[in-house]
Amino acid sequence: MNLNPFSALTDLLGTLSNKVVPDKSKIVEGQNRINEQEVAGAPVSFLRLWRGFLGWVLALLFAWEAVVRPVVSTYWPDATLPPSTLQEIMRLLIGMLGLGW
């Protein structure tokens, strides 16, 4: 048993700080184990396939509207382009990313 009051106080403060502010590496390690167990037990589902497909399609549509379309309309002003659907694409993309309201 340690009778030094300063070391006893630092031990007590260390214990309290571990309770109040837990070690992030232990939390991340625990969450990784949980994620691995969830994925290991999950069957391959059609849901994973269509979400990935929808994500790629929306990403390509967003790239068209945000990058390619302005370049085409700038360098080839006579080009006939369909009406912009950026608002609809953004609404779907933001909803899929979980950033919507």
Side-chain angles (χ1 to χ4, degrees):
M1 179 158 186
N2 194 355
L3 296 177
N4 185 355
F6 292 113
S7 65
L9 183 62
T10 56
D11 290 344
L12 179 64
L13 289 176
T15 305
L16 287 175
S17 68
N18 287 338
K19 298 286 184 188
V20 173
V21 182
D23 186 16
K24 289 203 183 255
S25 63
K26 289 181 182 179
I27 292 173
V28 169
E29 181 182 327
Q31 185 62 49
N32 285 339
R33 280 186 279 151
I34 291 170
N35 292 345
E36 288 171 5
Q37 290 175 355
E38 286 179 350
V39 170
V44 176
S45 68
F46 183 68
L47 186 65
R48 290 184 190 176
L49 296 176
W50 75 264
R51 271 194 191 149
F53 174 74
L54 183 60
W56 280 106
V57 168
L58 286 173
L60 289 173
L61 287 171
F62 178 75
W64 163 259
E65 289 290 337
V67 178
V68 178
R69 184 183 185 92
V71 171
V72 169
S73 65
T74 300
Y75 290 108
W76 296 280
D78 333 347
T80 306
L81 297 174
S84 177
T85 57
L86 185 60
Q87 287 183 339
E88 290 82 7
I89 293 168
M90 286 300 296
R91 189 174 301 139
L92 290 170
L93 189 59
I94 286 174
M96 186 175 175
L97 294 173
L99 302 173
W101 46 94

